[in-house]
Amino acid sequence: MSNLMSQLAETTAFIQSKVNSKAEIGIILGSGLGNLASEIKVEVSIPYSEIPYFPVSTVEGHGGSLMLGELSGKKVWVMSGRFHFYEGYTPQQVTYPVRAMHLLGVKTLLLSNAAGGVNPAFSVGDLMVITDHISLFVLNPLLGKNEEALGTRFPDMSEPYSKALVSKALEIAAINGIHLKQGVYTGVTGPTFETRAEYKMIHALGGDAVGMSTVQENIVAVHCGMKVFATSVITDLGIREEENVITHEEVLQAAKDAEPKLTLLFKELIKGL
Ligand code: HPA
């Protein structure tokens, strides 16, 4: 067995020793978007620091535990707080929990993130369902020897985000009066927010929003055959000519304000899974 697979075996054996049930849905909550976790009937919560080979989250606004619980009548694994490349983790470390969830039986992965809007039709507080992504200077987590036990060497990326789940989300939004945007998420490394020229470039390249997470997790999830659904909360606009100063506090506040819409969307989507 490779080093990675034996570490994953140890990780999942440890996690399984703490729980009595299984879940086929995994959720990773983004910056300032941890409140969905409070709606979960938690069976077990395991701090990342206790899980063998799990990295430890360091950013303000991120929790740091893996939970198994029930949401909308379904069992779910929830990561409250994720790992980012800008924290200094390797792309393999960032995505390690996704692989662990796959081996724990997760088939559908729901992701949320805070992102900057570069589509001029977007406003702060909008929800954007991610239909596709552009990976801009973000290292691909599949670089290196392929782990055949997880997936193929050259994964197809024609449907990185499940079209069926995007359609379902649009239906849910329409029924509940949520104005849902759709668009292309551009993944960057951060930790700097973008310069005016970079925001413009991202828009010119076909991006609608830009953020520092999600893409690497998506790639690893697609590699191991999961269905992925992801939503960005637009927390700032990169395309304003004036007053374009963006702070982490502003991002967290905007995420918090938009959170009830996101929680409703995820809960309704999970009902139908
Ligand atoms: N850029 C990159 N990442 C982000 C932004 C942004 O404007 N807002 C929230 N995360």
Side-chain angles (χ1 to χ4, degrees):
M1 209 191 276
S2 72
N3 205 23
L4 172 63
M5 294 311 287
S6 65
Q7 288 182 353
L8 281 166
E10 201 180 315
T11 301
T12 51
F14 172 84
I15 294 168
Q16 273 160 341
S17 75
K18 301 272 180 197
V19 300
N20 294 317
S21 36
K22 291 195 162 158
E24 295 193 352
I25 301 165
I27 305 174
I28 303 180
L29 301 171
S31 300
L33 300 169
N35 249 353
L36 180 70
S38 66
E39 304 252 348
I40 292 163
K41 230 194 285 163
V42 180
E43 281 176 31
V44 183
S45 175
I46 317 171
Y48 294 153
S49 56
E50 288 180 14
I51 306 175
Y53 303 111
F54 252 54
V56 177
S57 184
T58 60
V59 192
E60 191 194 330
H62 287 262
S65 55
L66 178 68
M67 288 177 282
L68 178 71
E70 204 177 290
L71 187 65
S72 305
K74 299 277 164 76
K75 298 277 184 195
V76 292
W77 282 111
V78 181
M79 281 181 67
S80 185
R82 57 151 60 94
F83 305 104
H84 301 85
F85 186 57
Y86 63 74
E87 293 175 85
Y89 301 115
T90 65
Q92 289 75 21
Q93 285 175 309
V94 167
T95 54
Y96 187 83
V98 176
R99 288 177 159 158
M101 284 204 254
H102 163 64
L103 294 174
L104 289 166
V106 169
K107 306 272 185 278
T108 307
L109 186 64
L110 309 185
L111 307 171
S112 68
N113 62 53
V118 294
N119 181 326
F122 288 2
S123 311
V124 169
D126 278 349
L127 289 191
M128 183 193 88
V129 169
I130 301 178
T131 54
D132 206 345
H133 73 225
I134 295 171
S135 177
L136 206 59
F137 314 123
V138 176
L139 276 185
N140 194 306
L142 303 181
L143 285 171
K145 188 178 174 302
N146 185 50
E147 198 60 69
E148 290 293 327
L150 293 172
T152 179
R153 170 76 288 186
F154 300 108
D156 171 65
M157 289 297 282
S158 61
E159 193 180 338
Y161 302 89
S162 160
K163 285 183 185 154
L165 292 178
V166 170
S167 304
K168 190 81 198 142
L170 292 170
E171 269 171 41
I172 292 166
I175 292 167
N176 291 281
I178 297 173
H179 190 63
L180 203 54
K181 301 278 191 341
Q182 296 179 61
V184 174
Y185 177 89
T186 310
V188 293
T189 65
T192 43
F193 292 114
E194 289 63 43
T195 64
R196 286 170 203 272
E198 286 164 349
Y199 282 121
K200 278 188 193 149
M201 174 192 73
I202 288 163
H203 184 231
L205 287 177
D208 295 294
V210 52
M212 306 173 196
S213 66
T214 303
V215 166
Q216 292 173 331
E217 293 157 350
N218 172 277
I219 289 171
V220 161
V222 169
H223 180 240
C224 59
M226 288 178 179
K227 279 204 179 79
V228 183
F229 174 80
T231 301
S232 293
V233 173
I234 304 301
T235 55
D236 52 271
L237 298 175
I239 39 160
R240 290 170 296 188
E241 284 303 325
E242 309 290 328
E243 291 178 41
N244 217 21
V245 177
I246 297 167
T247 65
H248 185 50
E249 289 67 33
E250 167 194 355
V251 165
L252 290 181
Q253 188 58 47
K256 210 159 172 245
D257 295 345
E259 205 167 16
K261 288 190 287 186
L262 182 77
T263 300
L264 187 137
L265 181 66
F266 271 33
K267 278 166 66 181
E268 291 298 312
L269 200 60
I270 288 167
K271 261 188 210 164
L273 287 178

PDB file of all heavy atoms in Angstrom, residues 255-272:
ATOM      1  N   ALA A 255     -20.444  37.516   4.474  1.00  0.00           N
ATOM      2  CA  ALA A 255     -20.751  36.080   4.454  1.00  0.00           C
ATOM      3  C   ALA A 255     -21.814  35.778   5.501  1.00  0.00           C
ATOM      4  O   ALA A 255     -22.788  35.055   5.245  1.00  0.00           O
ATOM      5  CB  ALA A 255     -19.483  35.267   4.718  1.00  0.00           C
ATOM      6  N   LYS A 256     -21.654  36.365   6.674  1.00  0.00           N
ATOM      7  CA  LYS A 256     -22.593  36.145   7.776  1.00  0.00           C
ATOM      8  C   LYS A 256     -23.994  36.632   7.393  1.00  0.00           C
ATOM      9  O   LYS A 256     -24.989  35.958   7.649  1.00  0.00           O
ATOM     10  CB  LYS A 256     -22.088  36.921   9.002  1.00  0.00           C
ATOM     11  CG  LYS A 256     -22.463  36.299  10.291  1.00  0.00           C
ATOM     12  CD  LYS A 256     -21.555  36.779  11.417  1.00  0.00           C
ATOM     13  CE  LYS A 256     -22.113  36.253  12.721  1.00  0.00           C
ATOM     14  NZ  LYS A 256     -22.566  37.305  13.616  1.00  0.00           N
ATOM     15  N   ASP A 257     -24.046  37.800   6.751  1.00  0.00           N
ATOM     16  CA  ASP A 257     -25.344  38.370   6.377  1.00  0.00           C
ATOM     17  C   ASP A 257     -26.073  37.502   5.350  1.00  0.00           C
ATOM     18  O   ASP A 257     -27.292  37.419   5.360  1.00  0.00           O
ATOM     19  CB  ASP A 257     -25.161  39.789   5.804  1.00  0.00           C
ATOM     20  CG  ASP A 257     -24.635  40.765   6.856  1.00  0.00           C
ATOM     21  OD1 ASP A 257     -24.699  40.422   8.055  1.00  0.00           O
ATOM     22  OD2 ASP A 257     -24.144  41.848   6.472  1.00  0.00           O
ATOM     23  N   ALA A 258     -25.308  36.892   4.452  1.00  0.00           N
ATOM     24  CA  ALA A 258     -25.934  36.114   3.372  1.00  0.00           C
ATOM     25  C   ALA A 258     -26.205  34.672   3.796  1.00  0.00           C
ATOM     26  O   ALA A 258     -26.871  33.918   3.080  1.00  0.00           O
ATOM     27  CB  ALA A 258     -25.022  36.127   2.146  1.00  0.00           C
ATOM     28  N   GLU A 259     -25.708  34.316   4.954  1.00  0.00           N
ATOM     29  CA  GLU A 259     -25.722  32.915   5.370  1.00  0.00           C
ATOM     30  C   GLU A 259     -27.109  32.251   5.431  1.00  0.00           C
ATOM     31  O   GLU A 259     -27.247  31.101   5.030  1.00  0.00           O
ATOM     32  CB  GLU A 259     -25.034  32.806   6.725  1.00  0.00           C
ATOM     33  CG  GLU A 259     -24.481  31.437   6.957  1.00  0.00           C
ATOM     34  CD  GLU A 259     -23.540  31.413   8.135  1.00  0.00           C
ATOM     35  OE1 GLU A 259     -23.536  32.352   8.942  1.00  0.00           O
ATOM     36  OE2 GLU A 259     -22.809  30.429   8.231  1.00  0.00           O
ATOM     37  N   PRO A 260     -28.154  32.957   5.933  1.00  0.00           N
ATOM     38  CA  PRO A 260     -29.458  32.292   6.005  1.00  0.00           C
ATOM     39  C   PRO A 260     -29.931  31.751   4.655  1.00  0.00           C
ATOM     40  O   PRO A 260     -30.491  30.654   4.585  1.00  0.00           O
ATOM     41  CB  PRO A 260     -30.388  33.399   6.527  1.00  0.00           C
ATOM     42  CG  PRO A 260     -29.490  34.328   7.273  1.00  0.00           C
ATOM     43  CD  PRO A 260     -28.184  34.295   6.543  1.00  0.00           C
ATOM     44  N   LYS A 261     -29.658  32.489   3.567  1.00  0.00           N
ATOM     45  CA  LYS A 261     -30.066  32.031   2.226  1.00  0.00           C
ATOM     46  C   LYS A 261     -29.316  30.751   1.851  1.00  0.00           C
ATOM     47  O   LYS A 261     -29.875  29.813   1.296  1.00  0.00           O
ATOM     48  CB  LYS A 261     -29.712  33.094   1.166  1.00  0.00           C
ATOM     49  CG  LYS A 261     -30.569  34.331   1.197  1.00  0.00           C
ATOM     50  CD  LYS A 261     -30.311  35.206  -0.031  1.00  0.00           C
ATOM     51  CE  LYS A 261     -28.977  35.923   0.026  1.00  0.00           C
ATOM     52  NZ  LYS A 261     -28.746  36.878  -1.057  1.00  0.00           N
ATOM     53  N   LEU A 262     -28.025  30.751   2.180  1.00  0.00           N
ATOM     54  CA  LEU A 262     -27.186  29.601   1.846  1.00  0.00           C
ATOM     55  C   LEU A 262     -27.624  28.368   2.643  1.00  0.00           C
ATOM     56  O   LEU A 262     -27.718  27.263   2.112  1.00  0.00           O
ATOM     57  CB  LEU A 262     -25.724  29.933   2.165  1.00  0.00           C
ATOM     58  CG  LEU A 262     -24.725  28.854   1.819  1.00  0.00           C
ATOM     59  CD1 LEU A 262     -24.464  28.831   0.321  1.00  0.00           C
ATOM     60  CD2 LEU A 262     -23.401  29.056   2.550  1.00  0.00           C
ATOM     61  N   THR A 263     -27.930  28.595   3.917  1.00  0.00           N
ATOM     62  CA  THR A 263     -28.360  27.499   4.788  1.00  0.00           C
ATOM     63  C   THR A 263     -29.647  26.881   4.247  1.00  0.00           C
ATOM     64  O   THR A 263     -29.763  25.656   4.149  1.00  0.00           O
ATOM     65  CB  THR A 263     -28.568  28.038   6.228  1.00  0.00           C
ATOM     66  OG1 THR A 263     -27.323  28.577   6.664  1.00  0.00           O
ATOM     67  CG2 THR A 263     -29.005  26.955   7.176  1.00  0.00           C
ATOM     68  N   LEU A 264     -30.582  27.736   3.864  1.00  0.00           N
ATOM     69  CA  LEU A 264     -31.846  27.239   3.324  1.00  0.00           C
ATOM     70  C   LEU A 264     -31.600  26.420   2.052  1.00  0.00           C
ATOM     71  O   LEU A 264     -32.137  25.316   1.890  1.00  0.00           O
ATOM     72  CB  LEU A 264     -32.776  28.419   3.038  1.00  0.00           C
ATOM     73  CG  LEU A 264     -34.189  28.046   2.623  1.00  0.00           C
ATOM     74  CD1 LEU A 264     -35.188  28.938   3.336  1.00  0.00           C
ATOM     75  CD2 LEU A 264     -34.422  28.136   1.135  1.00  0.00           C
ATOM     76  N   LEU A 265     -30.771  26.953   1.181  1.00  0.00           N
ATOM     77  CA  LEU A 265     -30.485  26.271  -0.083  1.00  0.00           C
ATOM     78  C   LEU A 265     -29.873  24.884   0.170  1.00  0.00           C
ATOM     79  O   LEU A 265     -30.305  23.883  -0.407  1.00  0.00           O
ATOM     80  CB  LEU A 265     -29.527  27.136  -0.921  1.00  0.00           C
ATOM     81  CG  LEU A 265     -29.146  26.592  -2.281  1.00  0.00           C
ATOM     82  CD1 LEU A 265     -30.355  26.548  -3.203  1.00  0.00           C
ATOM     83  CD2 LEU A 265     -28.044  27.444  -2.916  1.00  0.00           C
ATOM     84  N   PHE A 266     -28.883  24.833   1.036  1.00  0.00           N
ATOM     85  CA  PHE A 266     -28.218  23.553   1.321  1.00  0.00           C
ATOM     86  C   PHE A 266     -29.186  22.567   1.974  1.00  0.00           C
ATOM     87  O   PHE A 266     -29.217  21.390   1.625  1.00  0.00           O
ATOM     88  CB  PHE A 266     -26.993  23.775   2.231  1.00  0.00           C
ATOM     89  CG  PHE A 266     -25.720  24.058   1.459  1.00  0.00           C
ATOM     90  CD1 PHE A 266     -25.746  24.740   0.259  1.00  0.00           C
ATOM     91  CD2 PHE A 266     -24.475  23.636   1.944  1.00  0.00           C
ATOM     92  CE1 PHE A 266     -24.570  25.003  -0.455  1.00  0.00           C
ATOM     93  CE2 PHE A 266     -23.294  23.880   1.233  1.00  0.00           C
ATOM     94  CZ  PHE A 266     -23.349  24.568   0.039  1.00  0.00           C
ATOM     95  N   LYS A 267     -30.000  23.053   2.900  1.00  0.00           N
ATOM     96  CA  LYS A 267     -30.928  22.160   3.595  1.00  0.00           C
ATOM     97  C   LYS A 267     -31.942  21.560   2.616  1.00  0.00           C
ATOM     98  O   LYS A 267     -32.226  20.371   2.657  1.00  0.00           O
ATOM     99  CB  LYS A 267     -31.652  22.915   4.718  1.00  0.00           C
ATOM    100  CG  LYS A 267     -30.814  23.003   5.987  1.00  0.00           C
ATOM    101  CD  LYS A 267     -31.338  23.998   6.980  1.00  0.00           C
ATOM    102  CE  LYS A 267     -32.679  23.631   7.555  1.00  0.00           C
ATOM    103  NZ  LYS A 267     -33.142  24.671   8.513  1.00  0.00           N
ATOM    104  N   GLU A 268     -32.469  22.395   1.736  1.00  0.00           N
ATOM    105  CA  GLU A 268     -33.459  21.915   0.771  1.00  0.00           C
ATOM    106  C   GLU A 268     -32.811  20.960  -0.250  1.00  0.00           C
ATOM    107  O   GLU A 268     -33.413  19.967  -0.639  1.00  0.00           O
ATOM    108  CB  GLU A 268     -34.115  23.091   0.031  1.00  0.00           C
ATOM    109  CG  GLU A 268     -35.012  23.930   0.907  1.00  0.00           C
ATOM    110  CD  GLU A 268     -36.197  23.129   1.474  1.00  0.00           C
ATOM    111  OE1 GLU A 268     -36.855  22.426   0.711  1.00  0.00           O
ATOM    112  OE2 GLU A 268     -36.431  23.217   2.702  1.00  0.00           O
ATOM    113  N   LEU A 269     -31.599  21.274  -0.618  1.00  0.00           N
ATOM    114  CA  LEU A 269     -30.896  20.423  -1.588  1.00  0.00           C
ATOM    115  C   LEU A 269     -30.628  19.042  -0.970  1.00  0.00           C
ATOM    116  O   LEU A 269     -30.801  18.013  -1.630  1.00  0.00           O
ATOM    117  CB  LEU A 269     -29.567  21.104  -1.957  1.00  0.00           C
ATOM    118  CG  LEU A 269     -28.882  20.698  -3.238  1.00  0.00           C
ATOM    119  CD1 LEU A 269     -29.775  20.975  -4.449  1.00  0.00           C
ATOM    120  CD2 LEU A 269     -27.579  21.475  -3.407  1.00  0.00           C
ATOM    121  N   ILE A 270     -30.238  19.044   0.287  1.00  0.00           N
ATOM    122  CA  ILE A 270     -29.921  17.780   0.972  1.00  0.00           C
ATOM    123  C   ILE A 270     -31.173  16.914   1.117  1.00  0.00           C
ATOM    124  O   ILE A 270     -31.102  15.692   0.963  1.00  0.00           O
ATOM    125  CB  ILE A 270     -29.263  18.071   2.336  1.00  0.00           C
ATOM    126  CG1 ILE A 270     -27.838  18.592   2.099  1.00  0.00           C
ATOM    127  CG2 ILE A 270     -29.253  16.856   3.254  1.00  0.00           C
ATOM    128  CD1 ILE A 270     -27.178  19.216   3.304  1.00  0.00           C
ATOM    129  N   LYS A 271     -32.326  17.557   1.335  1.00  0.00           N
ATOM    130  CA  LYS A 271     -33.592  16.803   1.419  1.00  0.00           C
ATOM    131  C   LYS A 271     -33.781  15.909   0.203  1.00  0.00           C
ATOM    132  O   LYS A 271     -34.264  14.801   0.309  1.00  0.00           O
ATOM    133  CB  LYS A 271     -34.781  17.787   1.451  1.00  0.00           C
ATOM    134  CG  LYS A 271     -35.329  18.050   2.828  1.00  0.00           C
ATOM    135  CD  LYS A 271     -36.604  18.875   2.734  1.00  0.00           C
ATOM    136  CE  LYS A 271     -36.717  19.726   3.990  1.00  0.00           C
ATOM    137  NZ  LYS A 271     -37.679  20.814   3.837  1.00  0.00           N
ATOM    138  N   GLY A 272     -33.415  16.437  -0.964  1.00  0.00           N
ATOM    139  CA  GLY A 272     -33.649  15.714  -2.213  1.00  0.00           C
ATOM    140  C   GLY A 272     -32.541  14.740  -2.601  1.00  0.00           C
ATOM    141  O   GLY A 272     -32.620  14.081  -3.634  1.00  0.00           O
TER     142      GLY A 272
END
